[in-house]
Amino acid sequence: MRTRTTCLRQEPRTSLANPATMIVVAMITAMTFSASGAAPTPLYHLYQEHFGLTALVTVIFAAYVLSLLLALLTTGALSDHVGRRPTVLGALILNIIAMVMFITAGSGAALIAARAVQGFATGVATAALGAAILDVDQRRGAVLNSVTVFAGLTVGTLGAATLVTFAPDPAQLVYVVLLTLSGTEALLIWHMPETVQTKPGALTSLRPHVSIPIQARQTLAQLTPVTFASWALGGFYFSLMPALVRVATGATLPIVGGLVVAALTFSSVIAILSLLSIPADRVLLGAIPALALGVAITLGGVHAQFVAVMLLGTMVSGLGFGAVFSGTLRTVLPLAKADERAGLLSAFYLEGYLAFSLPAVLTGFLVPIVGLRLAADVYGAAVILMAVASLVAIGLSRARARRVARA
């Protein structure tokens, strides 16, 4: 694998300067943050039973996302100023603190606080790690970032569901594993070189803002509708699917719901790796119909009370989700300079997590009023409409571009 690295400020403790090693460590660390974010999903039912609060799941989820969005708005471009390594180390320390808070949580309020700290840590790390991967290998960086996100979500969801189903004291063990991984990764990152030239303005960059390079703004805006559709799809599965599986099929083992959710992210990885040779614009056009079709099949499986159909629909949706995610990053990331990468990634993830969270939170509050199945139908229909609208928007944009080119 040919890589390009700019290892700046060689220091005595820097011993992991091999580009391949740096990419692997950065990817594993990013996967840990993704896994940490997904891990509580199979535990939500246990939390709800233990603390007896109907809306607890929605509030925990909202705390995580709001903190993550705050981190993206304030620290999204921080690593462009102070460097990738100190930013990631700070995020790992916060994640370790969050894992300790989960392990010792004795109330719903403590869980909400832990999830908020975890969300902020993930927001700090997301842009910095993604930019670090691009620093080391600009040619493959967009694909590696895409694979890392979905691989981490797969491992986190399936691993936590397995522990919840088969291991003793899963509410503790899940976080002990993640704490150990975070500590190990902090040690590895400490011994790695910096990959970007630092620049002044770190304190100013902490003011809430969205940093999008001028040359990338139009392209990112054109892809915003499909970004919203795909991430709303992710919110649908991560917020509702485990509960839908239980209600629709009577399957109470957490591993069943975990398998359905993991099918979404695993099929996304397959899509990303399978479509590397296809131009990003063609990938996007083919992926959007898969998003809509997959949701429709999944809802059909819910009403038929058939897990296999739900699993099939989830895999179709996942192929679309992964293809959209990868196609978008392959399109916009090459437009950023080295010292603009973290800011652009932060803006992309800010869009994504807004689409991921807002519909899910609103649906969570709607469920006690109208019921889970009707709420899922409304959410699924909204995702399908967003996917169709994004397809129309891309078609109109291309037709307009062709007219301009002929003029």
Side-chain angles (χ1 to χ4, degrees):
M1 181 174 70
R2 184 176 63 84
T3 57
R4 181 184 67 82
T5 182
T6 53
C7 299
L8 307 173
R9 301 201 313 266
Q10 295 290 342
E11 302 173 17
R13 63 172 173 270
T14 298
S15 59
L16 298 176
N18 179 272
T21 303
M22 293 169 66
I23 286 178
V24 169
V25 172
M27 289 183 67
I28 291 175
T29 304
M31 285 175 61
T32 298
F33 277 101
S34 292
S36 298
T41 300
L43 292 165
Y44 282 157
H45 186 59
L46 293 179
Y47 291 150
Q48 209 164 28
E49 288 183 344
H50 183 69
F51 296 110
L53 298 174
T54 305
L56 180 63
V57 171
T58 302
V59 176
I60 292 175
F61 180 76
Y64 171 78
V65 173
L66 288 174
S67 292
L68 192 153
L69 292 173
L70 177 62
L72 290 174
L73 281 171
T74 55
T75 67
L78 181 63
S79 73
D80 287 335
H81 296 271
V82 303
R84 315 297 187 210
R85 187 176 66 184
T87 306
V88 175
L89 282 172
L92 283 167
I93 292 171
L94 282 176
N95 203 49
I96 289 171
I97 293 172
M99 296 305 105
V100 173
M101 292 173 69
F102 275 118
I103 292 170
T104 59
S107 66
L111 286 174
I112 293 168
R115 197 70 162 129
V117 174
Q118 183 191 40
F120 197 87
T122 302
V124 173
T126 296
L129 285 166
I133 292 170
L134 279 164
D135 294 338
V136 181
D137 191 347
Q138 187 174 352
R139 186 165 68 89
R140 298 181 179 89
V143 173
L144 294 175
N145 270 296
S146 302
V147 170
T148 297
V149 169
F150 289 107
L153 290 172
T154 303
V155 172
T157 302
L158 198 55
T162 302
L163 291 177
V164 171
T165 305
F166 302 111
D169 202 6
Q172 304 290 319
L173 187 57
V174 168
Y175 301 114
V176 169
V177 171
L178 291 169
L179 188 154
T180 303
L181 286 172
S182 297
T184 303
E185 289 154 4
L187 291 175
L188 292 172
I189 297 263
W190 177 262
H191 289 282
M192 287 175 60
E194 184 54 70
T195 61
V196 70
Q197 183 67 54
T198 59
K199 61 182 182 180
L203 289 178
T204 303
S205 74
L206 294 176
R207 290 183 303 188
H209 72 291
V210 178
S211 178
I212 306 173
I214 294 175
Q215 67 274 17
R217 290 177 184 176
Q218 182 177 356
T219 302
L220 186 64
Q222 289 173 346
L223 294 173
T224 293
V226 70
T227 298
F228 266 75
S230 60
W231 282 72
L233 169 88
F236 173 79
Y237 280 93
F238 275 90
S239 63
L240 295 182
M241 193 50 61
L244 271 176
V245 170
R246 286 195 304 272
V247 171
T249 67
T252 58
L253 290 178
I255 190 66
V256 179
L259 279 170
V260 175
V261 176
L264 177 81
T265 52
F266 181 74
S267 57
S268 296
V269 174
I270 299 301
I272 293 165
L273 296 177
S274 302
L275 300 172
L276 292 177
S277 61
I278 300 176
D281 57 343
R282 289 177 57 193
V283 168
L284 288 169
L285 280 178
I288 297 170
L291 288 176
L293 178 62
V295 174
I297 295 173
T298 302
L299 290 176
V302 170
H303 287 280
Q305 299 184 343
F306 198 8
V307 172
V309 175
M310 296 170 69
L311 195 61
L312 173 63
T314 301
M315 293 179 70
V316 174
S317 294
L319 293 173
F321 192 7
V324 166
F325 192 98
S326 177
T328 302
L329 287 186
R330 286 166 57 190
T331 301
V332 300
L333 287 185
L335 302 176
K337 300 174 185 177
D339 61 352
E340 298 171 333
R341 289 170 184 157
L344 179 57
L345 272 170
S346 176
F348 168 74
Y349 282 115
L350 185 65
E351 277 190 352
Y353 276 107
L354 277 171
F356 182 89
S357 60
L358 289 179
V361 170
L362 292 174
T363 304
F365 287 112
L366 187 63
V367 167
I369 301 172
V370 303
L372 183 60
R373 291 194 190 187
L374 180 56
D377 287 340
V378 172
Y379 194 157
V383 170
I384 292 172
L385 288 175
M386 279 191 285
V388 172
S390 66
L391 190 61
V392 172
I394 289 177
L396 291 175
S397 176
R398 293 188 175 187
R400 186 165 52 250
R402 285 193 296 267
R403 287 196 300 271
V404 171
R406 286 196 298 265

